[in-house]
Amino acid sequence: MVAALEGPAFTMAVNGEAWETTFDKAWYPRFSPDGRLTVLVQADGDWTLAVDDVAWEEQYGYVWNTMFSASGDIIAACIQQDGEYGFSIDGTPWETLFENANQPVFSKAGNAAAAVVQVKSLAQADIATFQEGIFSVAVNGEAWDSIFVNCWNPVFDPAGKNVAATIRRSLYDYSVAVNGKAWTGSYACAWAPAFNPATGAVAAPVRKAGAWGMAIDDAMAWEPRFGQLWQQAFSPDGSKLAAIACTRFGEFTVAVDGTPWGVSFPVVTDLTPSPAGARFAALASEHNTNFAVLCDGKVWDGRYDMAYAPVWSADGAHLALAVEKAGRQTIVVNGKAYPQSFDKCYAPAFSPDGKLVLIRALAGGKCHRIVAPVTAFTG
Amino acid sequence: MKTIADRLIEDEGLRRGVGRLTPEKIQKVFKELVAGECGARMKTYMETCVRCGMCAKACHYYMSHKDPSYTPVAKVSQTMWRLFDADGKVDPEVIYQCAQVAYTECNLCRRCIHYCPLGIDTGYIISVVRRLCHKLGVTPQYIQDTAHSHSATMNQMWVKDDEWPDTLQWQEEESREEFPGLRIPLDVEGADFMYSVIAPEPKFRTQLIYQAAAIFHAAGVSWTMPSTPGWDNSNMAMFSGDSEIMARVERAHYETAQRLRVKRIVMGECGHAFRAVYDVANRWLGWKYHPVPVVHSVEFFWELIQQGRIKLTHKYADPVTIHDPCNIIRGRGLMDKLREVVHFLCENVVEMSPNREHNYCCCAGGGVINCGPPFKNVRIVGNSIKAEQLKATGVHTLVAPCHNCHGGLEDIISKFGLNMHTKFLGDLIYELMEKPE
Amino acid sequence: MHALYDLAVGPLAWLAFAVFILGSIYRLMSMRALALKKDAAFVAYISWPHAIRSLLHWVTPFGALGWRENPGVTIVTFLFHICLFVAPLFLMGHIVLFDTFHGWSWPALPDGVADTLSIVVVAACAYFLWRRLSVPEVRFVTRSHDWLVLALVGATFLTGVLAYHRIGDNLFMTTLHVLCGEAMLVAIPFTRLSHMLFGFFSRGYIASEFGSVRFAKDW
Ligand code: HEM
Ligand code: HEM
Ligand code: SF4
Ligand code: SF4
């Protein structure tokens, strides 16, 4: 909670207890995976990040987009200082800042942060310089040697050692660059790349001859035959690659290793690979209603007014998510709903053995924490 | 007879672009474009136009200049037919002319569809000419710069990632002096709607964000704005011919709404942005209908009024007239709702003629105003018909729920000394509504 | 000359009708295939109720903005197109030929009426000719193709009228008429006259977009 005190001062209150420090402004409260409460705060005109009532010492012109390593031990945020942009990691800014930096990413291991950075100045309406290339990707404050017209969607491999990004070498020549080295392949368009966590191969949807296919390591792996292809994800063992695919105009599904599932919907989102077992889940909907859950090519029976991101158990045996129907929310596991409904449900979590589900919810102004066995979901 | 060749205007982007072309290169790109992207629509339009000239009177450029080279069919004749006749093998100078016609002498307003008995969509043909020009690198400097901005920042005006939330927080702070409880809720998952605006709002017209926040606050609705890119719904890449960037921008916009799990997207008072989100980019992305429903402010205000969520202290007393923006009238049929909202707000509404689906374009839309200073005068002089239409109403207040229209109409008003001022619906609602303590 | 006439009303007539009918079918089918292949994102919105509602406005004189704003063209083009179909279809001279060759027959218009309708077509062609020459916005976009098409239609009807009125050498005039008529039929699928085939679809398509996506009328 961001709590307003008297006058224009803000602080944080956790379970009814207020922090000691107050700030002129506070926003973007986020819990880190290890349970610390962070918030972006302003005092005396400067911004910084406060973690559990302690603000970083360094202050900046602006701070935003708090990010965490997978375990939550390392915290990163985007910063702007004197009109220059970059990252601050646990309060330490990048050594080099850039004229602009956006599309920030933080590696799971917390060892590296990257962003698309502007490495050359651009005068107003100077289209010539832009087209010669002014963008690159900076990793931990150091930009790639190569410069492109555009860079988009930098992504890390799980170890945070390698970075891939979509690039545009001219207005018409899209490709992918890995650690600054561009693929030779040239495409009419390309979406965000993804690393194979096992082999380190890079896959990206690319458009060729009016259709989308999947290129892996600079070679066409799925022939271009889709109307769209995006949000590809490898199974963590690297054995399978899935992506959201448009098979005909207005019809979407998931394609696994290039083969679409037999069901299609107007919209498919939230493709999620299982941590083990090489399974995939996704959400389907029409016009933002009538949400359905797709799991390994099967459609669960339930239809919902809204569905939230699905969560797998560690062994990939169970799938849970929060759903909403007629204004009430609940948790659904393996297609079956929890018997009780709430005003709001947060993302569910599985116990490490996958047998129990943690439900965190609000109802009647009260917080509920329920630990239920997967067998309790019967609705 | 005069043609486009007799009125060429120097533009850095166009000049530089044609400097790199040869007839062979043009032909190659043209043939690829036709083979790759043109289908039955283009073929039918090219073949069946009976050159009857009936569409002439549709176009405000022709009605203002009374010069036959400005009719819709003349624009096609000087661009697409010429290219097809030569199988694309034309002199680079021809591409310069095509670009000037396509980018600065057609607003893609679709009025001519109401005139052509065969239903030929001249706006579509012209947008394909623009696509060709984009592929040839012959685009006016200023609109190209905005397309670059879209590609690099996902917004139209080079607004950086910190400037956006900072601006919203500033507006929130300002408005809390007037409305102590007001919030501009950032990134609220599950809100009823995501409000998106065009980049000129945070850049030059923060007052509009302030007003929208005040109206939503007074109406007590559940809303949010993203603090991340994806907040800008404008799309000049659509008009420059860069479909790939158009789609990238729109994907970011829709995916932001999906991530926030909102029920709908409500868009500010902008027409071209609505066209991009509602009608054009969704198709390139493969979505037949919108993954998240899209509602223009006119319709949203209408809903608020229907639900009794907006109460007025008084009605606007001076007579007003209504400009129907092409992209939400011919593009979305909001003419009745627009009228109901204006009648709710104003005592005295004087209709201009023609109006509703038949209204004349403001001559700024379709990316024309975004081609910048070199072409400004042509666009203003090219709409004397609109000036006459406005003048005939005899009123001094002009309601126009579209950013581009505001720009275009204000230029016309000052050029022709019309003694009018333009207003957004948001301006009027904010001015007239009962403000909560 | 007799031999030519026999050729024209015999094998050439067969050929002309075959090319016209098969050619039209081919053009329509291949255009449909092209639309499905390349315009999927647009074909998807075709809505026949909206298309028909709009077409009803467009086949009504002054039923659409374009017609109202161009009253001269509207009157002439409606007369022209109606007479263009009615006169030859219900012409005694034509029906007799069908009867002779195929044994098909249907009621005919009185000769005087058919003659008047035919003269209307010729007059309309003269009006179109005048427009092309002297209305600047039409002249600006006129190309040789337009003259050819107008000439084909004009010549067919003019020679028909002349033949009927026995002006000039009758055999020559009739032969010329038949040849012009055949040329015109053959031209329909392959020239701008194909607007007869595609016009309803192009209007119907845009009407669907306006009706089902944009919720606005297109007339
Ligand atoms: C196979 C082709 C055709 C043949 C064999 C044919 C034959 C004839 C004949 C024998 C006449 C009668 C002349 C007379 O009464 O002495 C005639 C008149 C006429 N035909 Fe055709 N015709 C053909 C195609 C067409 C076509 C395609 C059209 C127009 C669409 C057309 C329009 C007319 C007209 C308008 C007249 C004169 C009517 C009048 O003034 O009464 N004909 N035709
Ligand atoms: C049912 C189908 C048809 C429809 C809906 C149709 C519709 C139209 C329309 C809307 C025009 C434009 C208005 C004008 O300039 O007069 C036109 C022009 C014209 N049509 Fe048709 N038409 C049809 C069939 C035909 C046929 C069968 C012919 C001749 C064989 C024909 C010959 C012409 C000619 C010559 C013009 C152009 C006149 C000019 O040069 O301006 N039409 N048609
Ligand atoms: S779309 Fe509008 S501006 Fe363009 S030719 Fe038609 S009427 Fe004129
Ligand atoms: S009204 Fe239609 S058919 Fe006539 S000239 Fe214009 S575009 Fe061509």
Side-chain angles (χ1 to χ4, degrees):
Chain A
M1 283 286 293
V2 177
L5 299 180
E6 270 165 53
F10 292 86
T11 188
M12 301 296 294
V14 187
N15 298 334
E17 271 180 53
W19 284 3
E20 283 174 10
T21 336
T22 62
F23 312 101
D24 298 345
K25 284 185 194 167
W27 74 295
Y28 214 74
R30 291 292 185 277
F31 278 103
S32 69
D34 59 3
R36 292 182 290 165
L37 177 59
T38 69
V39 64
L40 302 168
V41 295
Q42 188 196 41
D44 304 327
D46 284 326
W47 287 90
T48 192
L49 182 91
V51 185
D52 281 347
D53 209 358
V54 182
W56 284 350
E57 267 169 32
E58 286 246 14
Q59 296 193 319
Y60 310 99
Y62 201 74
V63 186
W64 68 103
N65 209 344
T66 320
M67 286 170 283
F68 306 99
S69 60
S71 62
D73 55 340
I74 304 175
I75 302 176
C78 298
I79 56 164
Q80 176 268 112
Q81 182 60 39
D82 302 324
E84 292 195 308
Y85 291 78
F87 269 91
S88 177
I89 310 223
D90 277 343
T92 311
W94 274 2
E95 263 172 38
T96 325
L97 297 179
F98 298 87
E99 277 192 48
N100 196 359
N102 58 27
Q103 308 176 61
V105 275
F106 193 37
S107 73
K108 280 189 180 158
N111 56 342
V116 173
V117 292
Q118 184 180 335
V119 291
K120 284 187 188 170
S121 300
L122 187 69
Q124 216 185 345
D126 180 357
I127 59 176
T129 303
F130 182 94
Q131 289 175 16
E132 284 157 18
I134 59 170
F135 288 101
S136 187
V137 170
V139 185
N140 290 339
E142 208 174 310
W144 287 347
D145 293 336
S146 40
I147 297 178
F148 303 102
V149 173
N150 285 108
C151 299
W152 294 288
N153 318 106
V155 290
F156 279 110
D157 64 359
K161 294 248 158 59
N162 300 295
V163 183
T166 314
I167 56 161
R168 187 162 75 147
R169 281 177 290 225
S170 75
L171 295 187
Y172 324 102
D173 172 12
Y174 287 72
S175 195
V176 169
V178 184
N179 298 332
K181 194 169 180 313
W183 286 357
T184 51
S186 166
Y187 305 98
C189 196
W191 297 125
F195 279 95
N196 182 324
T199 65
V202 174
V206 292
R207 186 173 159 93
K208 196 154 193 139
W212 289 85
M214 188 75 71
I216 299 183
D217 284 349
D218 209 2
M220 196 60 96
W222 303 1
E223 279 316 303
R225 62 187 181 103
F226 296 103
Q228 271 302 344
L229 198 62
W230 56 47
Q231 266 192 39
Q232 77 281 16
F234 282 96
S235 58
D237 65 2
S239 65
K240 283 189 186 166
L241 174 63
I244 295 173
C246 170
T247 44
R248 280 181 55 188
F249 180 64
E251 294 180 12
F252 283 80
T253 187
V254 171
V256 180
D257 293 334
T259 311
W261 286 349
V263 290
S264 66
F265 289 85
V267 176
V268 173
T269 55
D270 297 85
L271 176 61
T272 317
S274 63
R279 304 179 67 194
F280 293 95
L283 301 180
S285 59
E286 354 176 322
H287 215 41
N288 212 28
T289 59
N290 227 358
F291 279 82
V293 182
L294 309 182
C295 183
D296 267 349
K298 303 268 183 317
V299 191
W300 288 358
D301 290 337
R303 292 293 180 275
Y304 313 103
D305 299 338
M306 181 59 73
Y308 292 79
V311 178
W312 287 100
S313 62
D315 58 0
H318 307 290
L319 183 70
L321 72 158
V323 297
E324 181 176 316
K325 208 165 185 168
R328 303 289 295 165
Q329 299 196 345
T330 192
I331 299 293
V332 171
V333 175
N334 299 337
K336 304 277 186 207
Y338 192 69
Q340 194 182 344
S341 70
F342 308 90
D343 297 334
K344 162 96 197 137
C345 283
Y346 296 92
F350 283 97
S351 60
D353 66 0
K355 296 211 167 89
L356 303 172
V357 181
L358 171 64
I359 301 175
R360 289 171 299 170
L362 294 176
K366 273 179 59 192
C367 293
H368 294 255
R369 282 174 75 91
I370 301 168
V371 177
V374 288
T375 49
F377 294 78
T378 51
Chain B
M1 272 189 271
K2 283 204 178 122
T3 69
I4 175 68
D6 302 310
R7 54 169 179 270
L8 290 184
I9 292 172
E10 270 312 303
D11 177 272
E12 232 182 276
L14 299 182
R15 188 50 71 204
R16 185 169 148 270
V18 292
R20 294 176 298 200
L21 294 178
T22 61
E24 290 69 30
K25 167 148 195 228
I26 298 168
Q27 183 174 40
K28 180 168 170 283
V29 174
F30 175 77
K31 290 182 123 172
E32 277 169 10
L33 179 76
V34 172
E37 299 182 20
C38 298
R41 284 184 305 157
M42 181 59 84
K43 196 166 187 157
T44 312
Y45 294 159
M46 286 296 105
E47 183 173 323
T48 57
C49 170
V50 289
R51 264 85 77 166
C52 61
M54 278 177 60
C55 49
K57 293 195 182 75
C59 188
H60 45 285
Y61 283 96
Y62 171 75
M63 293 303 281
S64 303
H65 289 285
K66 286 284 154 66
D67 172 337
S69 64
Y70 282 105
T71 68
V73 56
K75 295 173 202 179
V76 177
S77 147
Q78 294 169 97
T79 57
M80 217 49 172
W81 293 351
R82 215 167 158 191
L83 290 159
F84 270 104
D85 284 347
D87 196 22
K89 197 163 181 178
V90 294
D91 200 69
E93 197 55 26
V94 173
I95 297 299
Y96 197 110
Q97 298 171 16
C98 286
Q100 185 172 330
V101 170
Y103 288 107
T104 74
E105 297 183 357
C106 175
N107 302 97
L108 315 180
C109 78
R110 304 191 178 119
R111 189 169 192 264
C112 36
I113 287 171
H114 289 261
Y115 281 71
C116 172
L118 297 164
I120 292 176
D121 185 352
T122 302
Y124 161 72
I125 301 171
I126 294 298
S127 60
V128 178
V129 178
R130 292 186 182 188
R131 176 81 173 141
L132 175 72
C133 292
H134 158 73
K135 292 205 160 203
L136 291 168
V138 184
T139 49
Q141 179 190 9
Y142 283 87
I143 194 171
Q144 186 60 43
D145 181 59
T146 60
H148 288 165
S149 171
H150 278 301
S151 76
T153 64
M154 293 294 123
N155 71 69
Q156 194 198 129
M157 310 236 62
W158 301 99
V159 176
K160 291 176 177 171
D161 282 7
D162 59 325
E163 294 170 345
W164 166 248
D166 197 22
T167 304
L168 295 184
Q169 286 163 346
W170 166 48
Q171 285 311 303
E172 180 180 82
E173 200 173 295
E174 296 268 300
S175 59
R176 285 166 76 93
E177 288 176 13
E178 193 181 354
F179 309 93
L182 186 148
R183 301 287 332 249
I184 296 184
L186 297 182
D187 302 310
V188 176
E189 194 183 78
D192 279 350
F193 67 92
M194 172 176 108
Y195 185 60
S196 63
V197 299
I198 65 170
E201 293 203 16
K203 199 90 181 172
F204 308 120
R205 293 183 171 219
T206 47
Q207 170 69 9
L208 294 175
I209 296 175
Y210 180 108
Q211 284 176 183
I215 295 168
F216 299 155
H217 175 67
V221 291
S222 149
W223 66 296
T224 189
M225 287 178 109
S227 70
T228 54
W231 54 267
D232 180 17
N233 54 32
S234 72
N235 207 322
M236 278 305 139
M238 163 176 74
F239 286 146
S240 78
D242 193 342
S243 313
E244 289 78 11
I245 295 298
M246 163 190 80
R248 185 171 292 270
V249 168
E250 235 42 87
R251 201 183 144 200
H253 183 240
Y254 274 121
E255 287 189 346
T256 302
Q258 288 177 323
R259 171 170 59 78
L260 292 173
R261 274 9 196 219
V262 293
K263 307 266 181 309
R264 316 189 283 178
I265 297 170
V266 173
M267 304 181 49
E269 292 179 62
C270 183
H272 95 272
F274 190 79
R275 179 189 189 125
V277 178
Y278 180 83
D279 198 344
V280 184
N282 58 308
R283 302 189 196 216
W284 205 91
L285 291 164
W287 287 316
K288 181 171 176 196
Y289 290 108
H290 316 99
V292 180
V294 188
V295 179
H296 189 269
S297 273
V298 168
E299 186 172 4
F300 187 70
F301 290 147
W302 179 84
E303 282 177 15
L304 292 182
I305 290 168
Q306 293 293 306
Q307 296 162 357
R309 286 173 180 269
I310 295 178
K311 301 207 173 46
L312 303 185
T313 54
H314 61 286
K315 282 190 160 196
Y316 193 79
D318 288 345
V320 305
T321 189
I322 302 172
H323 169 76
D324 291 277
C326 315
N327 285 318
I328 60 166
I329 305 299
R330 277 189 284 279
R332 179 58 183 80
L334 293 181
M335 52 275 165
D336 291 316
K337 287 179 176 153
L338 171 57
R339 279 172 177 71
E340 286 175 37
V341 174
V342 177
H343 281 271
F344 173 80
L345 297 170
C346 303
E347 302 270 8
N348 188 349
V349 181
V350 181
E351 289 286 353
M352 60 175 90
S353 164
N355 61 3
R356 302 169 64 91
E357 287 106 321
H358 296 158
N359 195 31
Y360 283 116
C361 172
C362 63
C363 205
V368 172
I369 195 170
N370 306 75
C371 294
F375 305 98
K376 181 173 177 188
N377 195 40
V378 180
R379 139 175 91 74
I380 299 170
V381 180
N383 211 0
S384 61
I385 186 77
K386 186 86 215 176
E388 286 165 29
Q389 200 193 8
L390 296 178
K391 197 166 184 187
T393 63
V395 309
H396 302 299
T397 307
L398 172 57
V399 181
C402 169
H403 277 277
N404 270 319
C405 295
H406 266 242
L409 295 169
E410 272 158 16
D411 288 339
I412 293 167
I413 288 167
S414 70
K415 167 85 183 180
F416 295 93
L418 293 182
N419 187 22
M420 289 179 117
H421 51 272
T422 52
K423 284 202 182 285
F424 288 102
L425 291 178
D427 294 330
L428 285 172
I429 296 175
Y430 173 75
E431 181 181 333
L432 303 169
M433 72 178 182
E434 276 181 16
K435 300 192 173 76
E437 285 306 300
Chain C
M1 197 40 114
H2 260 291
L4 184 60
Y5 177 80
D6 287 342
L7 182 71
V9 292
L12 280 186
W14 273 104
L15 192 68
F17 274 99
V19 170
F20 165 56
I21 292 167
L22 296 177
S24 297
I25 293 172
Y26 166 77
R27 290 297 324 267
L28 284 170
M29 295 313 286
S30 60
M31 197 63 95
R32 179 171 176 274
L34 182 64
L36 290 175
K37 181 163 167 245
K38 300 279 283 296
D39 303 78
F42 304 90
V43 173
Y45 297 91
I46 286 180
S47 147
W48 285 107
H50 290 109
I52 289 164
R53 192 180 59 164
S54 161
L55 283 165
L56 288 176
H57 279 93
W58 281 98
V59 297
T60 309
F62 304 105
L65 183 61
W67 294 139
R68 286 195 292 280
E69 298 271 300
N70 294 284
V73 186
T74 303
I75 294 169
V76 175
T77 204
F78 271 91
L79 283 174
F80 168 80
H81 282 93
I82 293 166
C83 297
L84 178 82
F85 282 94
V86 172
L89 275 178
F90 299 98
L91 179 73
M92 186 52 92
H94 286 174
I95 298 173
V96 166
L97 281 173
F98 273 99
D99 202 11
T100 321
F101 282 91
H102 305 282
W104 301 341
S105 142
W106 58 93
L109 282 173
D111 272 1
V113 175
D115 185 37
T116 313
L117 298 190
S118 311
I119 290 169
V120 168
V121 173
V122 176
C125 286
Y127 171 78
F128 292 142
L129 189 73
W130 168 79
R131 283 189 89 227
R132 293 223 168 275
L133 288 170
S134 50
V135 175
E137 66 267 24
V138 184
R139 208 176 107 193
F140 188 87
V141 293
T142 295
R143 3 185 81 209
S144 42
H145 192 133
D146 304 310
W147 300 116
L148 173 78
V149 163
L150 197 56
L152 275 175
V153 179
T156 304
F157 281 79
L158 184 64
T159 51
V161 171
L162 294 178
Y164 172 76
H165 289 276
R166 318 271 159 209
I167 299 172
D169 176 68
N170 194 245
L171 180 61
F172 171 75
M173 204 51 87
T174 309
T175 311
L176 190 61
H177 165 72
V178 174
L179 289 172
C180 285
E182 285 162 354
M184 189 186 90
L185 281 179
V186 169
I188 289 178
F190 305 108
T191 63
R192 199 192 85 168
L193 292 178
S194 63
H195 71 270
M196 168 182 157
L197 306 177
F198 300 125
F200 291 106
F201 293 100
S202 55
R203 180 91 249 163
Y205 156 70
I206 204 76
S208 304
E209 291 271 14
F210 269 66
S212 74
V213 178
R214 300 173 191 151
F215 306 104
K217 61 181 185 181
D218 66 317
W219 55 85

